[in-house]
């Protein structure tokens, strides 16, 4: 008799960009897949439902090249959206999910109650308890299922950060306090005086978005951060700074020879260049020493509204309020008061939230929300040597779709036996370096993102699963592709040129995007 081979079951938790690509990859490898999503639509941050965190006219900070998967091109007849809007991102994710039959495996409006480890017949598996979110007030039935593998893809924007200004405003402020997640468009702030609290991406982008409609915007920002436009003029061509200046493979491989201090100084030089000399811009002057870690964010119109005196930066600490008057204090104890504030938008950020794990599992992944850039200690931000048959995809700050996809392929190919996962000893050794990165908690040394280089990260995982082309062979046999990927464009389709599930069209996709991207067809 022929032996009956049981299909292994995979549970994917969260149907945002990381969950979608994880489910697709697991299906591609022959697994029986269920994708769980607590909200009423897929897309995560980019969802068109109430759960989506992106506001109506929000665009990606990085280009469509980095906001795409390796084997699914943007379907735009005339030209590709260089920086996709919320609506375009959702459509891309939806079309991808439909094309690869991920939607058929998705359970929407489903709450994960618990995920617990079980061991039967010397086989480590996972028991998942879930129920349907019922708005009718009826008690939902709890479903218990056993899965062979689990991928956690719930993202970094699940829980509003506890650090907030509500205690200072409670029963004192006469206006409305918004969270950044509640902001959808500037129409609610027409002719109003608005205080925006926060110093990073959402605060500066939201301030810029409402400045056109508001009477005045006060930005309470105490951080020193570089602000770039999404596209930066270089040699008379519009080139996006992230995808070109900051993701050039040759530059990052060369930087391996430099010390952290040398890298910081080099980074500061290029950041200041891309920000149009922000170190000398008194409207929003960059003040950190050049040898320290530098942060950057994106806004196309922030400096425009500063120059027009529609945004005023308040660097002092908000300590109290009286009706519609805000009270601030500087480091010397001096008081500054700003009156007639109508609304406040609180942009203090979000944290991960894993309520379905018990304390023991959280301890095994060293979960610590005081290090927001790296809340868990994992091998390649993906695997824990203390948890078998589980992976975490996109659970650090802040991954691109390329990073999420290579994480999914790395872990799922290993689960499927297509490639070998690292041993526990190798993972434990790596965790020492991860701990060192996380322990850099001094404000001036803490990295903005978990990865020093997206390129290193992706190339490393790609090499482990056999999908990284040989650079020397490329240089000898395909100089065009070599020049593109080494000196110019960091592209996800590069990881489909060789190895498992390679795509014969990947070279053409890469060249077409290079031509569209650099030669000014958009």
């Amino acid at each position: 008799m022929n032996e009956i081979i049981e299909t292994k079951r995979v549970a994917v938790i969260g149907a945002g960009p990381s969950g979608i690509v994880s489910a697709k990859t697991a299906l591609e490898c022959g697994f029986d897949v269920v994708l769980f999503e607590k909200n009423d639509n897929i897309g995560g941050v980019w969802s068109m439902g109430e759960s989506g965190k992106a506001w109506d006219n929000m665009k990606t900070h990085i280009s469509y090249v980095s906001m795409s998967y390796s084997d699914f091109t943007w379907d735009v007849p005339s030209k590709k959206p260089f920086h996709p809007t919320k609506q375009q991102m959702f459509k891309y994710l939806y079309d991808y999910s439909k094309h690869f039959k991920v939607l058929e495996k998705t359970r929407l409006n489903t709450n994960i109650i618990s995920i617990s480890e079980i061991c039967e017949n010397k086989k480590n598996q996972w028991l998942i308890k879930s129920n349907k979110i019922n708005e009718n007030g009826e008690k939902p039935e709890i479903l218990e299922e056993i899965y062979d593998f689990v991928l956690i893809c719930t993202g970094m924007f699940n829980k509003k950060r506890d650090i907030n200004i509500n205690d200072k405003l409670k029963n004192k402020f006469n206006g409305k306090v918004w969270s950044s997640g509640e902001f959808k468009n500037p129409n609610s702030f027409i002719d109003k005086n608005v205080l925006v609290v926060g110093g990073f991406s959402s605060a500066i982008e939201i301030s810029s978005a409402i400045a056109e409609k508001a009477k005045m915007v006060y930005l309470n920002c105490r951080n020193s951060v570089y602000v770039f436009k999404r596209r930066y003029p270089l040699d008379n061509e519009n080139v996006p700074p992230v995808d070109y200046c900051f993701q050039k493979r040759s530059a990052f491989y060369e930087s391996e020879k430099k010390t952290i201090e040398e890298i910081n100084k080099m980074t500061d030089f290029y950041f200041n260049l891309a920000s149009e000399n922000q170190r000398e811009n008194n409207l929003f002057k960059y003040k950190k020493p050049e040898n320290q870690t530098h942060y950057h964010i994106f806004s196309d119109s922030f400096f425009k509204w500063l120059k027009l005196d529609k945004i005023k930066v308040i660097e002092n600490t908000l300590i109290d309020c009286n009706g519609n008057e805000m009270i601030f204090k500087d480091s010397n104890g001096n008081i500054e008061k700003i009156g007639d504030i109508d609304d406040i938008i609180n942009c203090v950020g979000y944290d991960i939230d894993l309520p379905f794990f018990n304390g023991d599992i959280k301890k095994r992944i060293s979960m610590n929300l005081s290090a927001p850039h790296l809340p868990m200690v994992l091998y390649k931000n993906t695997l824990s040597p203390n948890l078998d048959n589980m992976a975490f995809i996109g659970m650090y700050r802040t991954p691109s779709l390329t990073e999420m996809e290579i994480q999914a392929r790395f872990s799922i190919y290993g689960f499927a036996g297509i490639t070998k996962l690292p041993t526990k000893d190798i993972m434990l050794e790596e965790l020492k370096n991860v701990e060192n990165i996380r322990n850099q908690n001094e404000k001036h040394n803490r990295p903005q993102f978990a990865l020093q280089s997206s390129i290193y990260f992706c190339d490393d995982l790609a090499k482990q699963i056999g999908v990284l082309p040989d650079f020397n062979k490329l240089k000898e046999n395909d100089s065009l592709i070599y020049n593109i990927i080494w000196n110019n464009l960091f592209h996800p389709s590069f990881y489909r040129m060789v190895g498992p599930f390679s795509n014969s069209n990947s070279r053409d996709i890469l060249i077409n995007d290079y031509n569209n991207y650099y030669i000014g067809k958009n």
Side-chain angles (χ1 to χ4, degrees):
M1 293 180 63
N2 293 328
E3 183 181 355
I4 298 175
I5 300 176
E6 182 182 358
T7 302
K8 300 278 189 177
R9 302 191 74 200
V10 171
V12 181
I13 315 300
S18 59
I20 289 167
V21 73
S22 296
K24 178 263 186 185
T25 305
L27 287 169
E28 190 173 53
C29 292
F31 288 112
D32 179 16
V33 179
V34 176
L35 174 58
F36 294 91
E37 171 55 51
K38 67 181 180 181
N39 296 303
D40 61 0
N41 211 337
I42 65 166
V45 168
W46 302 104
S47 173
M48 296 302 293
E50 289 296 319
S51 60
K53 302 293 191 301
W55 50 89
D56 293 347
N57 64 347
M58 184 174 175
K59 291 184 178 181
T60 63
H61 293 157
I62 52 182
S63 78
Y64 74 86
V65 175
S66 294
M67 294 304 288
S68 60
Y69 299 119
S70 64
D71 53 359
F72 194 74
T73 59
W74 281 84
D75 182 20
V76 180
S78 56
K79 65 177 184 178
K80 296 184 179 181
F82 209 91
H83 291 282
T85 63
K86 168 186 175 178
Q87 294 77 12
Q88 289 168 330
M89 275 304 306
F90 175 77
K91 184 179 186 304
Y92 177 82
L93 295 170
Y94 184 89
D95 290 347
Y96 177 89
S97 302
K98 185 176 180 180
H99 178 79
F100 290 109
K101 303 188 186 308
V102 171
L103 292 178
E104 301 171 14
K105 302 295 182 178
T106 305
R107 297 182 190 172
L108 299 174
N109 297 308
T110 302
N111 176 53
I112 302 297
I113 300 169
S114 65
I115 302 176
S116 53
E117 199 173 22
I118 60 173
C119 184
E120 294 182 3
N121 301 320
K122 299 182 179 180
K123 188 173 167 183
N124 288 326
Q125 294 176 300
W126 294 94
L127 174 64
I128 296 183
K129 295 182 180 180
S130 66
N131 58 16
K132 277 287 185 182
I133 297 173
N134 194 327
E135 297 181 355
N136 297 326
E138 300 175 7
K139 188 173 182 180
E141 178 185 355
I142 296 176
L143 183 64
E144 297 188 9
E145 299 172 290
I146 294 175
Y147 290 87
D148 299 285
F149 305 100
V150 176
L151 292 108
I152 305 298
C153 308
T154 52
M156 295 289 290
F157 303 101
N158 273 295
K159 184 180 179 182
K160 293 178 186 177
R161 194 162 292 160
D162 289 335
I163 304 169
N164 57 56
I165 61 171
N166 290 340
D167 289 342
K168 298 172 185 175
L169 305 176
K170 193 173 183 179
N171 301 323
K172 297 180 181 179
F173 179 52
N174 291 336
K176 180 176 179 179
V177 179
W178 306 66
S179 70
S180 57
E182 293 173 313
F183 172 76
K184 297 304 177 185
N185 61 67
N187 293 332
S188 299
F189 306 96
I190 295 173
D191 294 330
K192 289 185 175 182
N193 292 316
V194 183
L195 174 66
V196 179
V197 179
F200 287 110
S201 184
S202 60
I204 285 178
E205 281 277 70
I206 288 174
S207 295
S208 303
I210 65 176
E212 185 175 5
K213 299 288 183 74
K215 183 177 181 181
M216 185 68 186
V217 178
Y218 297 93
L219 173 62
N220 186 207
C221 172
R222 294 182 290 123
N223 299 305
S224 200
V225 58
Y226 276 118
V227 182
F228 309 145
K229 292 181 179 178
R230 286 172 174 81
R231 302 182 72 173
Y232 177 68
L234 182 67
D235 296 332
N236 298 320
E237 294 182 13
N238 268 338
V239 179
V242 163
D243 306 77
Y244 180 78
C245 298
F246 308 148
Q247 290 196 357
K248 187 183 289 189
R249 196 174 255 106
S250 58
F252 276 102
Y253 273 80
E254 182 64 27
S255 69
E256 280 187 311
K257 305 170 186 176
K258 300 180 183 296
T259 65
I260 293 295
E261 189 171 89
E262 289 173 331
I263 292 172
N264 287 342
K265 288 181 178 180
M266 179 181 68
T267 302
D268 180 66
F269 173 81
Y270 286 111
F271 279 15
N272 190 49
L273 186 67
S275 70
E276 302 180 40
N277 197 18
Q278 197 174 321
R279 282 199 172 277
E280 302 300 324
N281 190 332
N282 290 325
L283 292 172
F284 197 62
K285 195 168 186 175
Y286 189 79
K287 301 174 182 178
K288 287 184 71 174
E290 63 178 7
N291 63 336
Q292 294 183 2
T293 302
H294 306 289
Y295 291 7
H296 69 278
I297 61 175
F298 293 85
S299 175
D300 294 327
S301 61
F302 179 64
F303 283 108
K304 166 190 169 182
W305 296 118
L306 281 176
K307 291 175 184 176
L308 292 173
D309 202 29
K310 292 284 289 184
I311 297 177
K312 181 180 179 181
V313 177
I314 309 295
E315 296 184 355
N316 301 327
T317 303
L318 176 65
I319 60 169
D320 205 350
C321 80
N322 182 17
N324 294 92
E325 182 181 66
M326 301 294 115
I327 303 171
F328 301 86
K329 182 192 289 187
D330 68 14
S331 57
N332 296 318
N334 299 314
I335 297 297
E336 178 182 12
K337 296 181 180 181
I338 298 177
D340 299 324
I341 298 296
D342 299 297
D343 286 15
I344 296 174
I345 304 177
N346 194 15
C347 304
V348 295
Y350 290 81
D351 287 316
I352 65 167
D353 190 24
L354 304 174
F356 39 73
F357 282 160
N358 61 29
D360 176 61
I361 291 180
K362 290 179 180 178
K363 184 177 180 180
R364 284 194 263 171
I365 57 176
S366 300
M367 186 169 166
N368 181 2
L369 299 185
S370 68
H373 61 300
L374 203 58
M376 296 173 286
V377 176
L378 303 170
Y379 175 79
K380 306 301 181 188
N381 295 303
T382 307
L383 301 174
S384 170
N386 304 312
L387 296 174
D388 292 332
N389 304 332
M390 177 174 282
F392 298 79
I393 311 299
M395 299 293 289
Y396 57 92
R397 196 170 68 186
T398 300
S400 66
L401 267 64
T402 306
E403 294 165 31
M404 296 175 191
E405 183 176 27
I406 205 69
Q407 280 186 290
R409 295 175 71 187
F410 167 70
S411 54
I412 294 167
Y413 288 3
F415 294 159
I418 296 170
T419 58
K420 286 188 177 181
L421 293 173
T423 65
K424 287 191 176 183
D425 287 342
I426 290 174
M427 287 195 278
L428 287 168
E429 186 63 28
E430 168 79 12
L431 293 198
K432 295 177 183 177
N433 297 326
V434 181
E435 286 278 12
N436 289 336
I437 294 172
R438 186 160 80 167
N439 290 336
Q440 292 175 355
N441 275 332
E442 300 87 355
K443 191 171 184 179
H444 66 279
N445 278 330
R446 179 188 289 177
Q448 182 177 5
F449 305 115
L451 305 180
Q452 182 179 341
S453 165
S454 175
I455 295 171
Y456 289 151
F457 180 76
C458 292
D459 281 2
D460 183 15
L461 293 187
K463 186 175 182 179
Q464 291 194 49
I465 60 176
V467 301
L468 182 68
D470 186 298
F471 293 116
N472 291 325
K473 288 182 179 178
L474 272 181
K475 188 176 182 179
E476 181 179 346
N477 301 321
D478 196 341
S479 59
L480 173 60
I481 290 295
Y482 176 80
N483 179 56
I484 291 173
I485 62 92
W486 189 255
N487 296 312
N488 293 286
L489 186 61
F490 180 55
H491 198 292
S493 291
F494 181 58
Y495 301 121
R496 290 285 177 181
M497 293 184 68
V498 299
F501 303 102
S502 58
N503 182 356
S504 60
N505 295 323
S506 59
R507 186 179 186 276
D508 291 338
I509 293 171
L510 203 157
I511 292 173
N512 288 338
D513 276 338
Y514 172 72
N515 289 334
N516 182 66
Y517 194 70
Y518 284 102
I519 302 179
K521 292 183 180 179
N522 53 80

